[in-house]
Amino acid sequence: MSSDPRPASGRVAKSLVVAGASRIAGGVLEGVFTAAARLRPAAKPLHPQGETLAATIARAGLTPAVGVPWIDEPGVDEGVVRVSRAVGLPSGWPDIFGLAMRVPTVSGHGDVLFATTGRGAVGRFLLLPGRSTSSWTYTTLLPYRTASGPLLLAAESDGPDAFTLACARITGPWTDFGHIELDAASGSGADDAQGTGPAFDPVLNQIPGLSYYPWAARLREGSYRAARYSRGKNLNGSPPE
């Protein structure tokens, strides 16, 4: 039984276009990060200053399941969260805020990075600057690849030391599944750009069931490769091998 080759060729062409575009965009991002690192030599060329705190991440579980055990199943994790400003402008100035979360996994740990965006179907893909950590919703901006399809994660400020975790399909409604409680007493003030805090890397450190689509990995990998380069050069005095 023969099939029309046009749909298949169309899918291949689309795949090649997406791959090429993401590779180009990833290269641009890597260039931006590398330029930032050269202008401001530091272990963290972006999000140079922030505060790292111990955190308790409580998950209530989710029904219907999304195919990610960490989201679908209830549990409590003792992890780490870093809240930072992307550019590092003085307090009170508009800046894009970031929230990096690290949770333990069977093989070590998994990192999830959020940034301030809108919450709507379109706004969730747009970075938005704010004046405080509670100005906007934090989302992963790029969807994760899961067993049930693409999935976005979000963290909504729920007071000065708490966030509500939610997930959603590309343009679908958000569904709460967990809560982050920060231990304010565990912080020692803002860490600096010299790498005193943990180096979060969502490309290398993934939570089981939450992986990147190849195009999304290409977008992120360039910037994180530049960050790893900057971190190694800043801490060791020479570029890493």
Side-chain angles (χ1 to χ4, degrees):
M1 180 183 222
S2 63
S3 59
D4 186 347
R6 287 175 295 181
S9 62
R11 287 194 298 271
V12 171
K14 182 178 179 181
S15 177
L16 290 174
V17 169
V18 171
S22 59
R23 189 174 293 109
I24 292 171
V28 171
L29 288 175
E30 181 172 4
V32 170
F33 271 71
T34 301
R38 289 177 177 173
L39 289 172
R40 181 174 55 191
K44 296 183 176 74
L46 289 181
H47 294 275
Q49 294 185 334
E51 186 171 18
T52 304
L53 302 166
T56 299
I57 299 95
R59 296 168 285 107
L62 200 62
T63 303
V66 295
V68 181
W70 185 77
I71 295 174
D72 297 336
E73 301 169 4
V76 177
D77 298 311
E78 297 301 326
V80 175
V81 165
R82 182 177 189 261
V83 181
S84 60
R85 301 169 70 90
V87 181
L89 296 173
S91 179
W93 289 44
D95 205 336
I96 294 168
F97 284 83
L99 187 153
M101 178 182 70
R102 172 167 291 178
V103 297
T105 64
V106 174
S107 60
H109 58 259
D111 296 338
V112 179
L113 268 58
F114 304 85
T116 46
T117 69
R119 188 177 175 87
V122 175
R124 64 187 66 178
F125 300 106
L126 302 175
L127 292 170
L128 295 175
R131 295 181 182 275
S132 73
T133 57
S134 59
S135 295
W136 300 103
T137 297
Y138 295 75
T139 74
T140 51
L141 198 65
L142 298 176
Y144 278 102
R145 186 177 193 172
T146 74
S148 61
L151 191 74
L152 288 159
L153 303 186
E156 186 80 34
S157 177
D158 191 22
D161 299 313
F163 295 86
T164 296
L165 287 170
C167 62
R169 297 304 177 188
I170 295 298
T171 59
W174 295 100
T175 302
D176 297 347
F177 70 88
H179 189 258
I180 301 173
E181 191 72 33
L182 303 180
D183 180 2
S186 67
S188 57
D191 54 35
D192 59 28
Q194 305 310 313
T196 57
F200 295 89
D201 192 324
V203 175
L204 294 180
N205 310 316
Q206 297 181 6
I207 295 174
L210 290 174
S211 63
Y212 281 109
Y213 286 95
W215 62 267
R218 282 188 288 267
L219 278 174
R220 280 198 179 276
E221 177 57 31
S223 57
Y224 280 94
R225 183 164 53 242
R228 292 179 210 126
Y229 177 91
S230 177
R231 185 161 59 246
K233 184 173 183 178
N234 182 260
L235 296 179
N236 303 325
S238 61
E241 297 296 331

